[in-house]
Amino acid sequence: MTPATAALFDALGDPTRRAIVSRIARGPVSVSALATPLGISLTAVGQHLRLLEKAGLVLSEKQGRTRSCALRPEGLRAVEQWAQACRKEWEARLDRLGDLLDALPDA
Amino acid sequence: MTPATAALFDALGDPTRRAIVSRIARGPVSVSALATPLGISLTAVGQHLRLLEKAGLVLSEKQGRTRSCALRPEGLRAVEQWAQACRKEWEARLDRLGDLLDALPDA
DNA sequence: TGAAAAGTCAAGTTGTTGCTTCAGTATCAG
DNA sequence: CTGATACTGAAGCAACAACTTGACTTTTCA
């Protein structure tokens, strides 16, 4: 697993950050808009955002006095790909095993 | 996000557990076989396994004095699906935005 | 039978991390 | 200009989680 992918799963390992990602997926939001429903401080959201941004899941930009947060779909795609790679590796093994059994004399 | 999916991401939020999943994906292994390359105790691996099993990523069964650990592909599939759902939601939004711009008079 | 191997259980330690508060900066609205 | 809003930075705290050790059980095999 590449360090970049590790950062993605580390980031998504926290429920608050997952909620933030979910919310951002519905459209760009400000820091306050994220903080309010979560019931945590702006500072806390800022800390999560920095991590999410570092992981490549989110992109944010300051517009005036507010910060607008957007999703980086590539981050999520990398998550999908790692999970899929693991799964496929396992399933391929099962397939080979099945073929082997099929090839047994008088199966 | 469903509690089951949350458990999946919580489980994959730890680098050691991701390494365990990666290893198991290559084929069934014992607890010792997992512990050795990680350089941690059997106890530690056991604790991770319990969590992974609870999350639905791994299935293990004791055979004699060793425990054989297998992958549960459905767990990984759920991970893929959550990431994909978020991503698609965002991308759909971008598409709608594009359509809107295309429909503008004298674009 | 008895020693080694594989794992489990309970309890304890320690580092990390998610969050807070407080103080500060920058921007907007009247 | 003034007050309010939106955020940022530094510092500190408290809970959790990963791991360890030591004692124990069960299985293997020579």
Side-chain angles (χ1 to χ4, degrees):
Chain A
M1 168 179 268
T2 148
T5 311
L8 288 171
F9 279 97
D10 285 344
L12 292 174
D14 176 72
T16 305
R17 281 193 292 271
R18 288 194 296 271
I20 291 179
V21 168
S22 273
R23 176 59 193 85
I24 296 185
R26 307 215 308 268
V29 258
S30 70
V31 176
S32 322
L34 287 169
T36 306
L38 291 170
I40 60 178
S41 67
L42 296 188
T43 303
V45 173
Q47 287 161 354
H48 285 305
L49 279 177
R50 201 152 45 83
L51 223 153
L52 287 168
E53 210 155 350
K54 216 150 209 164
L57 277 166
V58 160
L59 193 93
S60 79
E61 188 192 359
K62 195 132 185 193
Q63 293 165 351
R65 69 182 156 168
T66 85
R67 171 171 299 271
S68 173
C69 309
L71 198 71
R72 252 192 187 296
E74 315 88 54
L76 288 172
R77 206 183 285 272
V79 167
E80 296 170 46
Q81 279 167 355
W82 182 83
Q84 194 182 32
C86 273
R87 181 172 57 82
K88 294 257 179 184
E89 193 167 5
W90 176 264
E91 286 170 350
R93 232 197 84 265
L94 287 192
D95 287 351
R96 284 197 302 275
L97 190 59
D99 292 352
L100 215 67
L101 290 181
D102 287 349
L104 275 186
D106 69 297
Chain B
M1 167 180 264
T2 150
T5 311
L8 288 170
F9 278 97
D10 284 345
L12 293 174
D14 176 73
T16 304
R17 281 192 293 270
R18 288 194 296 270
I20 290 179
V21 168
S22 272
R23 175 61 193 85
I24 296 185
R26 306 215 308 268
V29 258
S30 70
V31 176
S32 322
L34 287 169
T36 306
L38 290 170
I40 61 178
S41 67
L42 295 189
T43 303
V45 173
Q47 286 162 354
H48 286 304
L49 280 176
R50 200 150 48 84
L51 223 153
L52 286 168
E53 210 155 351
K54 218 152 210 169
L57 276 165
V58 160
L59 193 92
S60 79
E61 187 192 0
K62 194 132 184 193
Q63 294 165 351
R65 69 180 155 171
T66 85
R67 172 172 296 273
S68 173
C69 308
L71 197 70
R72 251 191 188 297
E74 315 89 54
L76 288 171
R77 206 182 282 273
V79 167
E80 296 170 45
Q81 279 166 355
W82 183 83
Q84 195 182 32
C86 272
R87 181 172 57 82
K88 294 257 179 183
E89 194 168 5
W90 176 264
E91 286 170 350
R93 232 197 84 265
L94 287 190
D95 287 350
R96 285 196 301 275
L97 190 60
D99 292 350
L100 216 65
L101 290 180
D102 289 348
L104 274 186
D106 69 299

